[in-house]
Amino acid sequence: MVSSWRELILEGIQQCHTATAIAVQLKTHRDPAVAELAKAVHFLSFGIQQIGLALSDEGRIDDLPIRRA
């Protein structure tokens, strides 16, 4: 069976949640390059989660010019 759009979005949100948790632990790494990369991954993963929630939440106003089939 093929997953629905919402199922795929929620799965992606969960994967980003995991990446965010790992990145948070590395933000205080002693190597400044690792710490900076962890900060970037944290912001990226958190932003993707926000986008996923915006697309999957029920009852939001659909004010995007995106055509959905």
Side-chain angles (χ1 to χ4, degrees):
M1 181 176 166
V2 176
S3 297
S4 70
W5 285 105
R6 190 168 195 278
E7 289 170 335
L8 290 172
I9 290 170
L10 294 176
E11 184 179 324
I13 290 170
Q14 184 57 47
Q15 291 175 2
C16 287
H17 177 74
T18 301
T20 300
I22 294 168
V24 166
Q25 294 174 4
L26 293 173
K27 284 170 62 172
T28 57
H29 195 277
R30 66 175 187 251
D31 183 338
V34 172
E36 280 299 306
L37 183 58
K39 288 177 190 175
V41 169
H42 178 238
F43 280 114
L44 182 63
S45 292
F46 193 79
I48 293 169
Q49 288 177 70
Q50 287 180 304
I51 293 167
L53 287 171
L55 292 172
S56 64
D57 279 353
E58 300 285 331
R60 291 200 181 264
I61 297 170
D62 188 0
D63 58 355
L64 293 175
I66 298 173
R67 290 212 155 155
R68 297 182 194 162

